[in-house]
Amino acid sequence: MARPHRHVLLIDDSADDRADLRQMLLCGGHRRFRFSEAQLGAEGVHQVLEAPQGPIDCVLLDYSLPDMDAPEVLAALCQGTDLPPCPVVVITGTAGEDGLKLLGAGAQDYIGKRWTTAESLTRAVDNAIERHAMMVDRRRAEAALRSSEERYRALFNSIDAGFAVIEMVSDGQGATVDARYLQVNPAFARHTGFADVEGRTIRELLPDIDPLWLEAYDTVASTGEPVRLVHRIESMQRWLDVYAFRLGAAQARQVAVLFNDITERKQSELALIAAKAEAERANRAKSEFLLSMSHDLRSPLNAMLGFAQLLEAGTPEPTPQQLESVQQILQAGWHLLGLINEILDLTAIESGQLMLSPQAVSLSEVIEECRAMIEPQAHEAGIDLHFVPCVDQPWRVQADATRTRQVLLNLLNNAIQYNRSAGRVEVRCTEAPGQRVRVSVEDTGPGLSAGQVAQLFEPFSRLGEPCGGPPGTGIGLVISQRLVELMGGCIGVDSTVGVGSCFWFELDAAPTPLARVWPARTVLCLESDALRLQRIEEVVARWPGVCLLRAGDLRGGIEVARSARPDAILMEITSPDRSAVLAMQQFAKDPATAHIPVIALGADALPRDVEAGLAAGFFDFLTQPVLSDAFERALGLAFERTRAGGQHATAAAGPAPRPAPAA
């Protein structure tokens, strides 16, 4: 492939000299040329800078011209720089002309006119073109480098975060022992408090520096993997958020460190954590206080209500004015009692101290119990209360029976209170997605707007009712929501203004239980209250093969236990008070009864009461109704323990008479 023509500009006032130069270039090598000519220096400068004949590859410049000499032409071509736009070879006439001066002015080479040959001239042109190209490339690289350095320096100095380049320092064995600061930005001093650190090491500034910093930087330098550190430097009393990455090759052992002083943020976080802990402690103390005061709050209130009821039904009958006053006392007392109970429930839920007893609950039984309790209120308010019968499906859910009843009663109470005159309330159970059962309470009240629905489950919202509306505490729905969620369900409402509302809750369905028979088992119940005893009798009667024995006090219970040696003992108590502990001690001291498990039943016990009861020696402490899976499970475990642990006692004391089932 033929080489391209080289465009050479000949600047010489002698036509013969220009012809000689052309001839020597054409004869001096195998490259092809094309020529432009100029007789004056100004004309040649114009052709180079304006390029009317195209770009010039090389200029052959006569030293002496009528209008200017070679240094003046070079100055015009360089335009204030030290390099003309194309290579220039000066043709000198005498040996006295200063060649170094020409090179300093921008010429690539110079050659004597009298001793120039075709070969030397061609070689001078080729070399000049190559050197000029190399110089142009170098100047471009230097300019790019300067520009890059300027951008880097501007960025380096403008970063608000602290920035440093460090070099790892090793001992004679190659182990990293320190790091030297090579470069830091202005923000470094602001974030650290140290100035003039370049050339100094980290240990010079911080002799007690935590080794983890140097270890982390050493790992970055060795592996090239960046690292993020958030740590406190004790000697500086500052928290630093550091991002470190390697610079260059591993052999350089240089690490770039970008960091921020986050001391204020950390102090705020720690203060917030401390404040949160203090608030939680205060909240727990408040909850503990309210829970521990539950009996103290309700006992005098119950006494007030009881004596007010005695006054209402007393002899002689109260006057109409007295009767009105007594009824006001009763109304306010019942309202206050409901408020106390609901606030205590909410407190127990929020403090995590509410004990639930998940079990298979029959919704039919819960609904029937609620019907019996709510029908008088509905009748008094003129509300038609309708329960859709559950004939086709014996609905059972996995829940706490007492709390399920509490939720349903609250929804029924709201449906009656917030209904229209001569309205209707309908209750039904339906199957819900995800193997759940939905209980719906639909009313014909005024309905709720979107804004009221959004605030519905907020404490003390009272369904958006103003003061003077239906009486209530305003936290019943909140408690219902929390209870349903604690039982693994969900609660909601569908409402239309002017039509009514349908409140519903869903719970996980429970399988239908199989009947269980415990052959020839005897249970002793220590209970002085006739109504509670009747409830336990009704529950135990559901299990064939179990005989229930009764005792009204501790003395009678010990005698029955010694003579009958039952498989389990039930003791219904309010809390593990002194009498309960005494009973356990009496049973434990007697060899004939020491092996018999004693189950405490307390419907209103705090977690600490349960712990104290178990510590006192009770086999179990149940806080749920006796009609529950938990009660059945506890009784079954008690029977198994009696069988396993009572054989020795039976052999020593002889066979005990098995009493006939109580009528």
Side-chain angles (χ1 to χ4, degrees), residues 375-397:
E375 275 184 338
Q377 180 182 343
H379 179 73
E380 182 179 353
I383 301 297
D384 179 19
L385 190 60
H386 180 64
F387 290 81
V388 177
C390 304
V391 177
D392 299 332
Q393 176 69 270
W395 300 108
R396 291 170 63 85
V397 293

mmCIF file of all heavy atoms in Angstrom, residues 375-397:
data_model
loop_
_atom_site.group_PDB
_atom_site.id
_atom_site.type_symbol
_atom_site.label_atom_id
_atom_site.label_comp_id
_atom_site.label_asym_id
_atom_site.label_seq_id
_atom_site.Cartn_x
_atom_site.Cartn_y
_atom_site.Cartn_z
ATOM 1 N N GLU A 375 -80.020 -10.411 75.871
ATOM 2 C CA GLU A 375 -81.436 -10.287 75.518
ATOM 3 C C GLU A 375 -82.185 -9.278 76.383
ATOM 4 O O GLU A 375 -82.994 -8.500 75.864
ATOM 5 C CB GLU A 375 -82.112 -11.651 75.569
ATOM 6 C CG GLU A 375 -81.951 -12.445 74.278
ATOM 7 C CD GLU A 375 -82.715 -13.760 74.291
ATOM 8 O OE1 GLU A 375 -83.008 -14.259 75.408
ATOM 9 O OE2 GLU A 375 -82.991 -14.288 73.201
ATOM 10 N N PRO A 376 -81.961 -9.218 77.724
ATOM 11 C CA PRO A 376 -82.676 -8.199 78.506
ATOM 12 C C PRO A 376 -82.358 -6.781 78.045
ATOM 13 O O PRO A 376 -83.254 -5.934 77.986
ATOM 14 C CB PRO A 376 -82.180 -8.452 79.937
ATOM 15 C CG PRO A 376 -81.772 -9.878 79.947
ATOM 16 C CD PRO A 376 -81.218 -10.144 78.586
ATOM 17 N N GLN A 377 -81.124 -6.501 77.706
ATOM 18 C CA GLN A 377 -80.753 -5.170 77.233
ATOM 19 C C GLN A 377 -81.436 -4.866 75.902
ATOM 20 O O GLN A 377 -81.926 -3.751 75.683
ATOM 21 C CB GLN A 377 -79.238 -5.074 77.082
ATOM 22 C CG GLN A 377 -78.741 -3.726 76.586
ATOM 23 C CD GLN A 377 -77.237 -3.697 76.397
ATOM 24 O OE1 GLN A 377 -76.528 -4.565 76.914
ATOM 25 N NE2 GLN A 377 -76.749 -2.716 75.658
ATOM 26 N N ALA A 378 -81.469 -5.848 74.981
ATOM 27 C CA ALA A 378 -82.119 -5.636 73.690
ATOM 28 C C ALA A 378 -83.618 -5.412 73.868
ATOM 29 O O ALA A 378 -84.217 -4.547 73.210
ATOM 30 C CB ALA A 378 -81.851 -6.832 72.779
ATOM 31 N N HIS A 379 -84.235 -6.176 74.774
ATOM 32 C CA HIS A 379 -85.674 -6.031 75.003
ATOM 33 C C HIS A 379 -85.992 -4.652 75.562
ATOM 34 O O HIS A 379 -86.960 -4.000 75.133
ATOM 35 C CB HIS A 379 -86.152 -7.121 75.971
ATOM 36 C CG HIS A 379 -87.616 -7.024 76.285
ATOM 37 N ND1 HIS A 379 -88.595 -7.368 75.370
ATOM 38 C CD2 HIS A 379 -88.264 -6.613 77.418
ATOM 39 C CE1 HIS A 379 -89.785 -7.167 75.918
ATOM 40 N NE2 HIS A 379 -89.613 -6.712 77.169
ATOM 41 N N GLU A 380 -85.163 -4.193 76.492
ATOM 42 C CA GLU A 380 -85.394 -2.875 77.091
ATOM 43 C C GLU A 380 -85.235 -1.771 76.055
ATOM 44 O O GLU A 380 -85.942 -0.759 76.099
ATOM 45 C CB GLU A 380 -84.414 -2.662 78.240
ATOM 46 C CG GLU A 380 -84.602 -1.344 78.969
ATOM 47 C CD GLU A 380 -83.621 -1.190 80.111
ATOM 48 O OE1 GLU A 380 -82.890 -2.157 80.409
ATOM 49 O OE2 GLU A 380 -83.590 -0.109 80.720
ATOM 50 N N ALA A 381 -84.311 -1.938 75.089
ATOM 51 C CA ALA A 381 -84.089 -0.918 74.067
ATOM 52 C C ALA A 381 -85.039 -1.060 72.884
ATOM 53 O O ALA A 381 -85.007 -0.227 71.968
ATOM 54 C CB ALA A 381 -82.648 -0.994 73.565
ATOM 55 N N GLY A 382 -85.889 -2.089 72.872
ATOM 56 C CA GLY A 382 -86.814 -2.283 71.767
ATOM 57 C C GLY A 382 -86.148 -2.763 70.499
ATOM 58 O O GLY A 382 -86.599 -2.455 69.390
ATOM 59 N N ILE A 383 -85.084 -3.527 70.636
ATOM 60 C CA ILE A 383 -84.324 -4.027 69.488
ATOM 61 C C ILE A 383 -84.661 -5.499 69.277
ATOM 62 O O ILE A 383 -84.650 -6.299 70.227
ATOM 63 C CB ILE A 383 -82.812 -3.861 69.707
ATOM 64 C CG1 ILE A 383 -82.449 -2.390 69.927
ATOM 65 C CG2 ILE A 383 -82.036 -4.429 68.530
ATOM 66 C CD1 ILE A 383 -82.755 -1.493 68.753
ATOM 67 N N ASP A 384 -84.961 -5.858 68.033
ATOM 68 C CA ASP A 384 -85.227 -7.252 67.672
ATOM 69 C C ASP A 384 -83.890 -7.975 67.511
ATOM 70 O O ASP A 384 -83.127 -7.702 66.588
ATOM 71 C CB ASP A 384 -86.029 -7.294 66.371
ATOM 72 C CG ASP A 384 -86.315 -8.734 65.934
ATOM 73 O OD1 ASP A 384 -86.227 -9.646 66.789
ATOM 74 O OD2 ASP A 384 -86.609 -8.932 64.732
ATOM 75 N N LEU A 385 -83.596 -8.892 68.425
ATOM 76 C CA LEU A 385 -82.325 -9.617 68.432
ATOM 77 C C LEU A 385 -82.549 -10.989 67.808
ATOM 78 O O LEU A 385 -83.320 -11.809 68.331
ATOM 79 C CB LEU A 385 -81.817 -9.748 69.869
ATOM 80 C CG LEU A 385 -80.393 -10.256 70.069
ATOM 81 C CD1 LEU A 385 -79.392 -9.338 69.397
ATOM 82 C CD2 LEU A 385 -80.090 -10.362 71.556
ATOM 83 N N HIS A 386 -81.884 -11.256 66.693
ATOM 84 C CA HIS A 386 -82.103 -12.501 65.953
ATOM 85 C C HIS A 386 -80.777 -13.233 65.779
ATOM 86 O O HIS A 386 -79.803 -12.677 65.273
ATOM 87 C CB HIS A 386 -82.709 -12.199 64.582
ATOM 88 C CG HIS A 386 -82.972 -13.435 63.770
ATOM 89 N ND1 HIS A 386 -83.878 -14.408 64.142
ATOM 90 C CD2 HIS A 386 -82.439 -13.851 62.588
ATOM 91 C CE1 HIS A 386 -83.886 -15.368 63.236
ATOM 92 N NE2 HIS A 386 -83.017 -15.048 62.284
ATOM 93 N N PHE A 387 -80.735 -14.501 66.200
ATOM 94 C CA PHE A 387 -79.553 -15.354 66.058
ATOM 95 C C PHE A 387 -79.846 -16.416 65.013
ATOM 96 O O PHE A 387 -80.750 -17.245 65.200
ATOM 97 C CB PHE A 387 -79.193 -16.014 67.389
ATOM 98 C CG PHE A 387 -78.653 -15.062 68.413
ATOM 99 C CD1 PHE A 387 -79.509 -14.276 69.170
ATOM 100 C CD2 PHE A 387 -77.290 -14.940 68.614
ATOM 101 C CE1 PHE A 387 -79.022 -13.393 70.109
ATOM 102 C CE2 PHE A 387 -76.792 -14.066 69.558
ATOM 103 C CZ PHE A 387 -77.657 -13.278 70.308
ATOM 104 N N VAL A 388 -79.102 -16.401 63.915
ATOM 105 C CA VAL A 388 -79.288 -17.400 62.866
ATOM 106 C C VAL A 388 -78.775 -18.735 63.403
ATOM 107 O O VAL A 388 -77.602 -18.844 63.798
ATOM 108 C CB VAL A 388 -78.518 -17.017 61.586
ATOM 109 C CG1 VAL A 388 -78.672 -18.104 60.525
ATOM 110 C CG2 VAL A 388 -79.006 -15.675 61.066
ATOM 111 N N PRO A 389 -79.604 -19.767 63.483
ATOM 112 C CA PRO A 389 -79.179 -21.028 64.106
ATOM 113 C C PRO A 389 -78.063 -21.712 63.327
ATOM 114 O O PRO A 389 -78.007 -21.658 62.100
ATOM 115 C CB PRO A 389 -80.463 -21.870 64.090
ATOM 116 C CG PRO A 389 -81.288 -21.294 62.989
ATOM 117 C CD PRO A 389 -80.992 -19.819 62.980
ATOM 118 N N CYS A 390 -77.162 -22.343 64.074
ATOM 119 C CA CYS A 390 -76.046 -23.097 63.477
ATOM 120 C C CYS A 390 -76.420 -24.575 63.464
ATOM 121 O O CYS A 390 -75.899 -25.377 64.250
ATOM 122 C CB CYS A 390 -74.761 -22.876 64.267
ATOM 123 S SG CYS A 390 -74.298 -21.138 64.436
ATOM 124 N N VAL A 391 -77.332 -24.929 62.582
ATOM 125 C CA VAL A 391 -77.840 -26.302 62.559
ATOM 126 C C VAL A 391 -76.935 -27.210 61.743
ATOM 127 O O VAL A 391 -76.564 -28.306 62.163
ATOM 128 C CB VAL A 391 -79.281 -26.321 62.003
ATOM 129 C CG1 VAL A 391 -79.788 -27.755 61.907
ATOM 130 C CG2 VAL A 391 -80.190 -25.474 62.873
ATOM 131 N N ASP A 392 -76.545 -26.737 60.562
ATOM 132 C CA ASP A 392 -75.788 -27.592 59.644
ATOM 133 C C ASP A 392 -74.329 -27.770 60.040
ATOM 134 O O ASP A 392 -73.690 -28.735 59.629
ATOM 135 C CB ASP A 392 -75.848 -27.006 58.224
ATOM 136 C CG ASP A 392 -77.273 -26.927 57.709
ATOM 137 O OD1 ASP A 392 -78.090 -27.753 58.156
ATOM 138 O OD2 ASP A 392 -77.556 -26.037 56.893
ATOM 139 N N GLN A 393 -73.797 -26.867 60.825
ATOM 140 C CA GLN A 393 -72.366 -26.903 61.112
ATOM 141 C C GLN A 393 -72.123 -26.593 62.590
ATOM 142 O O GLN A 393 -72.437 -25.498 63.043
ATOM 143 C CB GLN A 393 -71.643 -25.880 60.239
ATOM 144 C CG GLN A 393 -70.151 -25.738 60.514
ATOM 145 C CD GLN A 393 -69.367 -26.949 60.105
ATOM 146 O OE1 GLN A 393 -69.189 -27.854 60.906
ATOM 147 N NE2 GLN A 393 -68.913 -26.977 58.873
ATOM 148 N N PRO A 394 -71.575 -27.522 63.352
ATOM 149 C CA PRO A 394 -71.227 -27.240 64.753
ATOM 150 C C PRO A 394 -69.926 -26.433 64.800
ATOM 151 O O PRO A 394 -68.844 -26.986 64.998
ATOM 152 C CB PRO A 394 -71.061 -28.627 65.362
ATOM 153 C CG PRO A 394 -70.622 -29.490 64.223
ATOM 154 C CD PRO A 394 -71.282 -28.924 62.988
ATOM 155 N N TRP A 395 -70.021 -25.120 64.600
ATOM 156 C CA TRP A 395 -68.834 -24.279 64.464
ATOM 157 C C TRP A 395 -67.971 -24.338 65.715
ATOM 158 O O TRP A 395 -68.439 -24.115 66.825
ATOM 159 C CB TRP A 395 -69.230 -22.829 64.193
ATOM 160 C CG TRP A 395 -70.028 -22.632 62.937
ATOM 161 C CD1 TRP A 395 -71.345 -22.337 62.842
ATOM 162 C CD2 TRP A 395 -69.539 -22.735 61.596
ATOM 163 N NE1 TRP A 395 -71.730 -22.243 61.540
ATOM 164 C CE2 TRP A 395 -70.641 -22.479 60.740
ATOM 165 C CE3 TRP A 395 -68.295 -23.017 61.040
ATOM 166 C CZ2 TRP A 395 -70.524 -22.492 59.363
ATOM 167 C CZ3 TRP A 395 -68.178 -23.020 59.674
ATOM 168 C CH2 TRP A 395 -69.277 -22.764 58.836
ATOM 169 N N ARG A 396 -66.677 -24.592 65.495
ATOM 170 C CA ARG A 396 -65.690 -24.581 66.576
ATOM 171 C C ARG A 396 -64.469 -23.810 66.103
ATOM 172 O O ARG A 396 -64.065 -23.918 64.949
ATOM 173 C CB ARG A 396 -65.274 -26.004 66.971
ATOM 174 C CG ARG A 396 -66.366 -26.806 67.649
ATOM 175 C CD ARG A 396 -65.971 -28.271 67.778
ATOM 176 N NE ARG A 396 -64.789 -28.441 68.624
ATOM 177 C CZ ARG A 396 -64.829 -28.530 69.959
ATOM 178 N NH1 ARG A 396 -65.981 -28.432 70.593
ATOM 179 N NH2 ARG A 396 -63.721 -28.706 70.650
ATOM 180 N N VAL A 397 -63.913 -23.014 67.002
ATOM 181 C CA VAL A 397 -62.744 -22.207 66.659
ATOM 182 C C VAL A 397 -61.644 -22.431 67.688
ATOM 183 O O VAL A 397 -61.913 -22.834 68.827
ATOM 184 C CB VAL A 397 -63.089 -20.703 66.592
ATOM 185 C CG1 VAL A 397 -64.019 -20.410 65.437
ATOM 186 C CG2 VAL A 397 -63.684 -20.217 67.903
#
